[in-house]
Amino acid sequence: MAKQHWKGSVLLAPVPPALVTCGTLEHPNVLTVAWTGVVSTHPPMTYVSIRPSRYSYSIIEQQKEFVINLTTEKLVRATDYCGVKSGREVDKFKETGLTREKASHVGVPMIKESPVCIECRVREIKELGSHSTFVADVLAVHVDDKYMDEKGKFDLALANPIVYSHGEYYGLGKKLGTFGYSIRNQRKKRQKK
């Protein structure tokens, strides 16, 4: 099977769609982003990339705070809606039925229905072409108790997370392994010898 040669583009998928909240509890907005991820673990840092034309861009640029709210199969319709409608025209919380929840470190609301909410403070804004990247410190992470397993470990699979790939949303299937599983059995065999 041959591979086709295409001109340079961003073809990195699937990615986690996230609902990013900004504004205040009284005047919130939420937008969907697919470009977010880890920048550093020590100190904990993340990023979101947003087009300057988006309504939320100037809110985050001025406020220097946002919350990344992870999405689930139950939130897929709200995730899509918040990506195609503008907060300039509609109250997305009202239209989607999402519930605002007070954060502990930022003035931005979290989404109660989200299994994980990550409070962020902007450290730096990098203008990098069609999008600007908001590099942020992670101030706090809130995890819904109902997604903790019997050992007290967070189990995102219980939330039925989704991914986004080239205009389509997908649910994640079964767990295929855990970190280090590919060599775990080899170590056990060597220890027995």
Side-chain angles (χ1 to χ4, degrees):
M1 178 188 267
K3 291 186 178 175
Q4 295 182 18
H5 180 90
W6 295 353
K7 69 177 184 172
S9 66
V10 182
L11 195 62
L12 183 61
V15 292
L19 292 167
V20 175
T21 46
C22 59
T24 63
L25 274 170
E26 298 78 25
H27 301 287
N29 192 47
V30 57
L31 79 151
T32 302
V33 302
W35 295 349
T36 183
V38 176
V39 172
S40 169
T41 53
H42 299 288
M45 294 171 61
T46 187
Y47 74 93
V48 292
S49 290
I50 304 171
R51 288 190 311 273
S53 61
R54 296 291 297 261
Y55 176 64
S56 298
Y57 182 97
S58 61
I59 296 171
I60 296 171
E61 183 181 41
Q62 290 171 15
Q63 194 173 6
K64 303 280 192 280
E65 297 177 335
F66 59 90
V67 176
I68 298 172
N69 303 273
L70 299 187
T71 56
T72 66
E73 288 182 12
K74 286 183 179 178
L75 294 174
V76 71
R77 189 170 186 81
T79 300
D80 184 65
Y81 185 90
C82 292
V84 296
K85 294 302 251 182
S86 174
R88 286 182 187 100
E89 302 161 3
V90 297
D91 177 342
K92 295 184 199 178
F93 275 91
K94 181 181 175 187
E95 295 300 317
T96 59
L98 294 173
T99 310
R100 293 173 264 195
E101 190 169 50
K102 188 174 181 349
S104 59
H105 291 80
V106 298
V108 175
M110 301 184 302
I111 296 174
K112 184 175 183 170
E113 293 81 5
S114 175
V116 176
C117 304
I118 305 166
E119 294 186 56
C120 303
R121 180 158 297 127
V122 175
R123 176 185 280 219
E124 178 179 3
I125 303 170
K126 293 183 169 277
E127 295 176 15
L128 298 170
S130 64
H131 290 64
S132 292
T133 299
F134 292 81
V135 179
D137 293 304
V138 174
L139 305 178
V141 177
H142 303 264
V143 179
D144 193 320
D145 286 339
K146 67 182 171 188
Y147 302 114
M148 304 301 280
D149 69 14
E150 63 280 347
K151 295 178 183 175
K153 181 180 172 192
F154 175 65
D155 187 352
L156 185 60
L158 295 173
N160 297 314
I162 59 174
V163 294
Y164 180 80
S165 180
H166 310 291
E168 298 175 324
Y169 302 96
Y170 294 91
L172 295 178
K174 62 184 177 185
K175 179 171 40 173
L176 302 175
T178 59
F179 181 76
Y181 84 99
S182 63
I183 62 169
R184 200 167 293 124
N185 288 338
Q186 293 172 358
R187 271 192 258 164
K188 287 180 183 177
K189 288 177 185 176
R190 277 187 253 151
Q191 289 173 351
K192 287 182 181 178
K193 289 182 181 180

